[in-house]
Amino acid sequence: QQQTPTAQGPTKPTAAQLQAEMDYLASGASNAQKAQRLEGGARAVNQAQGILGLAAKFKPMGLTYRIVDPVTVNGNIASARLKLSSPGYQPTYMTMKWVWKDGRWKLTNSSICELGSYANIPCNL
């Protein structure tokens, strides 16, 4: 799902668009395609895949993650909360951020590291 850049800069993404970006990063797309959606590019792909791969392992046990409204934009940074849900536990929320770069929204390095810290995965971005 390609976002269309405007002369004024970024258009405000919807929660569904940001969820689609997260789902794309967890998909079987090539690393080069995933790198285009990450602030850290190719360097960030393995980090993101490790985290989303771990989430995929727990999906059969009911773990879900969803970007929820509201989405806010401040300059070239979009923010939204990620809701992590698992049966028998209270949902956990963390703020994810995307930066507008090269004509599209890209998941920030800090968001990848924050997700990793939740799963005790060291981050070097």
Side-chain angles (χ1 to χ4, degrees):
Q1 203 173 5
Q2 195 70 3
Q3 285 125 10
T4 49
T6 64
Q8 301 86 4
T11 52
K12 182 178 175 182
T14 64
Q17 286 172 318
L18 296 177
Q19 180 64 46
E21 291 293 311
M22 297 289 285
D23 292 343
Y24 189 87
L25 292 172
S27 76
S30 75
N31 284 357
Q33 289 170 313
K34 290 177 183 180
Q36 293 173 1
R37 289 169 158 80
L38 296 168
E39 178 187 24
R43 209 164 65 79
V45 171
N46 287 342
Q47 189 79 35
Q49 283 187 173
I51 295 160
L52 294 170
L54 187 63
K57 282 183 188 158
F58 287 98
K59 199 172 189 174
M61 292 169 236
L63 176 73
T64 61
Y65 59 90
R66 181 101 1 238
I67 300 295
V68 296
D69 282 316
V71 176
T72 59
V73 175
N74 185 353
N76 67 338
I77 302 289
S79 302
R81 291 191 317 157
L82 177 74
K83 178 182 179 183
L84 288 161
S85 303
S86 192
Y89 295 92
Q90 289 295 318
T92 298
Y93 294 89
M94 57 182 71
T95 300
M96 298 283 101
K97 293 184 185 297
W98 289 260
V99 62
W100 182 261
K101 187 176 167 186
D102 304 325
R104 73 173 313 125
W105 290 108
K106 299 183 181 211
L107 188 62
T108 63
N109 291 341
S110 62
S111 292
I112 292 169
C113 288
E114 186 171 345
L115 271 175
S117 70
Y118 182 78
N120 292 318
I121 297 173
C123 190
N124 58 0
L125 295 176

